[in-house]
Amino acid sequence: MKRIWERLSVDIALLAVACVWGSSYLAAKELTAVTSVPAILAWRFLIASVCLGILWLWRVRRVPGRAEAWTGVLLGLTQSAVLFLETFGVAHTQASNAGLIISLTVIFTPLLDALATRRWLPPSFFVAAVVSVVGVALLVTGDGFHSPSLGDFLMLGAAAVRAVHVTLLGALTANKPYSSITVTLIQALICTLLAFLIDPLGVLSSAAEFSPTAWLNILYLGLACSLFAFLVQLWAVRRTSASRASLLMGTEPVWAVAAGVWLAGDTFGWIGAAGAVLIVAACYAGQRIESRARAARNNAADSLVPAAVLASHVGKA
């Protein structure tokens, strides 16, 4: 019984992360109506940086080495690019569209990794990729076929850059004794600094212009969508399988649509709704196909170890 409740608590925690990330597009969109994108990101990540700094002093208190510091800086630059594209994009499209289009990262990341490692994915994955692209085409047309908005293109770019960021994250930190808190703190500081340098006057003036509602949105983005999501994700993924964590956190676009429809009044025609369904289904399918292909490769590699050991002893008896 205890194990059931432990698993349930982990599942609920991961769903909570997906929920706050999905709802972040609506909070960001509301803020873009009252201030600049750099001001939003500067205040969001200043709050996150302060909280992460306190956490670093409590749990880590170790000055990062040169390699660890530069890893954090590089990841901070790519993360900043994602966030600027994402926030500018959500300002020019529906929050629900933004959450759906950004979910294409699930498709883009394995494709990028396959190109980098030359480990080709099964044909069924490319079918899922094509279906997801068709879904985006239907989503952005709504009830009538017309050109996608600027925001749709920016969100598509954000999904592609996020795939680069995720790939770099794995490549630069795999098997390295880096502190997750330290690297994340450096990323947050880089995001804060870049946003402030781009629009220092806007950042400073926004502090006096924000309404209580705007400050609540900023706090939500900084504390819930940045600090809370990071800490809970870190806690939960260590207590469940990678595939289950990916499945639960993959519900982010569903929560984005729910927040957009229920709270912002976003609407879908039947064509757009069909596109939304195709995107979610294709991303889930692509994720499962990639996960199975990766597991098969790992099992094949493991099965070669005994044979290699046996071959190394041939002729030594």
Side-chain angles (χ1 to χ4, degrees):
M1 188 68 178
K2 184 178 179 182
R3 287 184 62 84
I4 293 175
W5 281 110
E6 286 178 353
R7 172 178 286 189
L8 183 61
S9 65
V10 171
D11 289 352
I12 291 172
L14 288 171
L15 281 173
V17 172
C19 181
V20 297
W21 277 348
S23 62
S24 69
Y25 304 104
L26 179 57
K29 185 171 182 63
E30 291 181 352
L31 284 167
T32 58
V34 297
T35 191
S36 69
V37 169
I40 295 169
L41 295 178
W43 286 113
R44 170 182 178 173
F45 282 97
L46 178 60
I47 292 169
S49 296
V50 170
C51 295
L52 283 166
I54 294 171
L55 183 64
W56 183 86
L57 288 172
W58 176 41
R59 296 296 300 272
V60 183
R61 285 184 294 180
R62 176 180 60 80
V63 177
R66 181 178 297 180
E68 185 175 11
W70 278 112
T71 295
V73 169
L74 179 57
L75 292 175
L77 292 173
T78 55
Q79 182 68 67
S80 296
V82 173
L83 290 165
F84 271 97
L85 285 169
E86 202 174 88
T87 313
F88 273 115
V90 79
H92 296 91
T93 190
Q94 292 189 150
S96 49
N97 277 29
L100 286 164
I101 295 173
I102 199 68
S103 68
L104 292 180
T105 301
V106 173
I107 297 292
F108 291 160
T109 303
L111 286 174
L112 186 63
D113 183 63
L115 287 173
T117 61
R118 296 185 179 181
R119 292 177 178 174
W120 299 112
L121 294 160
S124 54
F125 181 89
F126 295 93
V127 174
V130 171
V131 171
S132 68
V133 172
V134 172
V136 170
L138 294 176
L139 174 72
V140 300
T141 59
D143 269 331
F145 289 96
H146 53 78
S147 299
S149 69
L150 172 63
D152 295 327
F153 280 120
L154 289 172
M155 292 308 302
L156 197 58
V161 178
R162 187 191 273 192
V164 174
H165 174 74
V166 172
T167 303
L168 282 176
L169 184 64
L172 295 176
T173 62
N175 302 316
K176 300 290 178 61
Y178 297 161
S179 163
S180 297
I181 295 173
T182 300
V183 173
T184 306
L185 172 59
I186 295 172
Q187 288 184 72
L189 289 171
I190 291 296
C191 291
T192 305
L193 179 62
L194 285 177
F196 183 82
L197 291 176
I198 290 172
D199 186 16
L201 294 179
V203 174
L204 295 175
S205 63
S206 65
E209 297 169 356
F210 279 160
S211 66
T213 301
W215 275 117
L216 285 174
N217 280 328
I218 287 289
L219 288 171
Y220 183 71
L221 290 174
L223 297 178
C225 302
S226 300
L227 183 69
F228 166 81
F230 161 67
L231 292 177
V232 171
Q233 181 187 16
L234 188 63
W235 171 82
V237 296
R238 291 175 175 175
R239 290 165 174 81
T240 189
S241 65
S243 59
R244 190 170 184 82
S246 297
L247 183 67
L248 292 167
M249 293 178 65
T251 61
E252 178 185 341
V254 177
W255 296 109
V257 170
V261 172
W262 292 340
L263 300 178
D266 290 352
T267 58
F268 293 100
W270 70 268
I271 296 176
V277 171
L278 286 179
I279 292 171
V280 174
C283 287
Y284 269 113
Q287 190 176 57
R288 298 299 295 272
I289 293 166
E290 188 274 338
S291 179
R292 286 197 298 267
R294 182 165 16 94
R297 286 197 301 267
N298 291 340
N299 290 336
D302 291 342
S303 67
L304 291 176
V305 173
V309 172
L310 179 61
S312 68
H313 287 80
V314 172
K316 292 184 179 181

